[in-house]
Amino acid sequence: MGMGTLMDTAQLAGGGLRTERVARLARSARASAARVDEERRLSPDLAAEITAAGFPAHFVPRRWGGAAGGFRQLVDAVAALGEECVATAWCAALYAAHGRLAAYLPERGQRELWDTSPDVRIAAAVVPPAGRAVPEGEGWRISGEWHYASGVDHADWVLVAVRVDGADGGGPEVRCFAVPRRELVIKDSWHSLGLRGTGSNTVVAGGAGVRVPRHRSFTLADLDTVRAGVARCHAVPFRLVAPLQFAAPILGAARGAWRYAFAAEQAGRVGRPGPRGAVAPEVLARADGEIEAARLLLGAAADRADAADRGPDAVARNQRDAALAAELCTTAVDRLFRAGGTRVHFDGDPLQRAWRDLTTGASHATLAFGAAAAAFMAERTAAFEAGETATSGWGADGGTATPANPSFPAGDFR
């Protein structure tokens, strides 16, 4: 589909993601996509390959052997995986992202997670907060249920969030707790239209609950703290980067859907045996343009996270760009799906699976364009009232950066 050029191996290795193993994972993801969808979870082998490719360690601090890597590298790798299996890409992205969240634990808590290896798979169910936490000694006892913990079947640890009374009599705050997965019960609750293979099940701390010491806890507000003296990936506010982890698999899903529709059109055009329901060239061309626009938006957002300003303007732009990229991909694949004919409505059709996965993923609240647009316009209005010149972002105000070449084009992992 002509999505870019491959980052050189040395640069990739510096980011922690291992080129050859990411390529191998992409091939395995393609071969097992239908089975993952049917079984509603990743296989143990796929989870192991995600780890071997470097995803769980990608944002782990270097002092624990992690890569403290870049957002552009992750976005491009995840998008490439998403072409082959969106569920695999989704879990890979979140294993990486949750390692970044866990870096906000106190040092003792980080040591407990990563002292022996940075290759620790972490699932999470932190938004919305749920359950109950009761102070107990130097910690809390938590109980309840937390939904949508993607990849939890293969996780070593789980982050869950509870609304608690603030310290020193302060107002309520949301506190995140790191819990060994073995101390929780997994409830088989993920029966969804799309992203079936993510196994985004419910985790339960039942009975007497689970005790969590203070060193395995941090507040959700900590995630928006811009810290000094740490790697760039740990010095950016959560809201600047959170949309990237959800938008990247969606970009991959759109690429994969386009590739299948294009193959159907080519087979029909030259009279070769192939999938029926060939898509008209006009539909393909328009969808390709929309997906390419989404890639550019998401690439600019990732570059902004890696190197540009980290203030409110950058946060608002990243939220807008990721949500708009998801919307463009959804529009493109909806059009491809409608034009695909009867065949794409049958179980097992790759375009149908991509459409289901993308539709489910794009419904994530983080990618809601209405909320992103409101936040963007509020920030632009505040800047205007403060005397700044309103711009479209192309300039010195730290807005839309010219995106670098993506790390993982569609064709390099097949």
Side-chain angles (χ1 to χ4, degrees), residues 128-221:
R132 186 166 179 257
V134 177
E136 182 178 296
E138 291 298 312
W140 293 264
R141 184 165 294 276
I142 66 170
S143 59
E145 296 189 358
W146 295 267
H147 303 294
Y148 315 132
S150 297
V152 70
D153 289 289
H154 305 291
D156 303 299
W157 290 80
V158 184
L159 297 175
V160 299
V162 183
R163 194 176 301 277
V164 300
D165 292 332
D168 301 321
E173 63 183 11
V174 176
R175 183 163 285 276
C176 300
F177 300 94
V179 183
R181 197 208 67 179
R182 65 179 180 274
E183 296 183 9
L184 299 168
V185 174
I186 300 174
K187 180 187 291 187
D188 184 5
S189 59
W190 184 244
H191 299 266
S192 62
L193 172 72
L195 290 176
R196 295 172 180 173
T198 61
S200 300
N201 289 308
T202 298
V203 292
V204 182
V210 175
R211 187 181 181 279
V212 183
R214 180 170 293 276
H215 65 263
R216 284 203 261 118
S217 176
F218 59 89
T219 68
L220 203 61

Side-chain angles (χ1 to χ4, degrees), residues 7-391:
M7 179 184 293
D8 66 71
T9 304
Q11 185 178 0
L12 180 58
L17 296 174
R18 300 156 189 145
T19 307
E20 292 183 1
R21 291 187 176 182
V22 173
R24 186 185 310 161
L25 170 60
R27 292 191 293 269
S28 297
R30 175 189 278 195
S32 60
R35 186 175 74 252
V36 164
D37 188 68
E38 181 180 351
E39 295 179 354
R40 296 185 298 106
R41 57 180 46 83
L42 301 184
S43 68
D45 287 345
L46 267 181
E49 286 195 54
I50 288 173
T51 302
F55 286 96
H58 185 66
F59 289 130
V60 173
R62 293 189 183 98
R63 68 180 177 274
W64 308 116
F71 294 97
R72 184 57 183 265
Q73 295 163 338
L74 179 69
V75 164
D76 292 332
V78 169
L81 287 180
E83 287 197 50
E84 315 302 346
C85 175
V86 190
T88 300
W90 189 272
C91 290
L94 293 184
Y95 285 148
H98 298 155
R100 200 187 81 85
L101 301 189
Y104 284 81
L105 288 167
E107 183 170 352
R108 183 180 172 189
Q110 294 183 41
R111 181 179 294 110
E112 195 167 337
L113 265 67
W114 297 313
D115 191 35
T116 59
S117 172
D119 294 322
V120 174
R121 294 189 291 265
I122 303 172
V126 297
V127 179
R132 186 166 179 257
V134 177
E136 182 178 296
E138 291 298 312
W140 293 264
R141 184 165 294 276
I142 66 170
S143 59
E145 296 189 358
W146 295 267
H147 303 294
Y148 315 132
S150 297
V152 70
D153 289 289
H154 305 291
D156 303 299
W157 290 80
V158 184
L159 297 175
V160 299
V162 183
R163 194 176 301 277
V164 300
D165 292 332
D168 301 321
E173 63 183 11
V174 176
R175 183 163 285 276
C176 300
F177 300 94
V179 183
R181 197 208 67 179
R182 65 179 180 274
E183 296 183 9
L184 299 168
V185 174
I186 300 174
K187 180 187 291 187
D188 184 5
S189 59
W190 184 244
H191 299 266
S192 62
L193 172 72
L195 290 176
R196 295 172 180 173
T198 61
S200 300
N201 289 308
T202 298
V203 292
V204 182
V210 175
R211 187 181 181 279
V212 183
R214 180 170 293 276
H215 65 263
R216 284 203 261 118
S217 176
F218 59 89
T219 68
L220 203 61
D222 292 338
L223 300 180
D224 268 333
T225 303
V226 177
R227 300 183 293 176
V230 294
R232 170 73 187 199
C233 66
H234 302 130
V236 294
F238 177 65
R239 291 176 299 127
L240 179 73
V241 299
L244 301 177
Q245 67 206 34
F246 302 111
I250 289 168
L251 175 61
R255 288 179 178 176
W258 190 94
R259 187 180 68 201
Y260 177 79
F262 177 74
E265 191 273 340
Q266 290 294 294
R269 183 172 64 85
V270 300
R272 294 194 305 271
R276 296 192 176 183
V279 178
E282 179 183 346
V283 173
L284 282 165
R286 187 180 298 276
D288 182 65
E290 289 164 334
I291 296 167
E292 175 68 3
R295 182 187 71 82
L296 292 171
L297 283 167
L298 200 55
D303 289 342
R304 203 176 289 127
D306 279 331
D309 176 65
R310 298 168 291 187
D313 179 74
V315 170
R317 291 184 187 280
N318 268 26
Q319 291 175 325
R320 178 204 63 186
D321 288 356
L324 183 54
E327 188 175 278
L328 285 166
C329 288
T330 301
T331 300
V333 175
D334 279 348
R335 187 179 293 109
L336 294 172
F337 186 72
R338 289 196 306 270
T342 304
R343 181 186 180 94
V344 301
H345 292 270
F346 283 86
D347 289 342
D349 184 86
L351 179 53
Q352 184 213 93
R353 185 169 60 247
W355 177 82
R356 288 192 285 104
D357 289 343
L358 187 150
T359 299
T360 299
S363 69
H364 196 283
T366 306
L367 299 174
F369 187 74
F376 174 78
M377 290 308 300
E379 172 55 30
R380 287 287 81 203
T381 300
F384 178 78
E385 291 175 348
E388 296 181 18
T389 302
T391 74

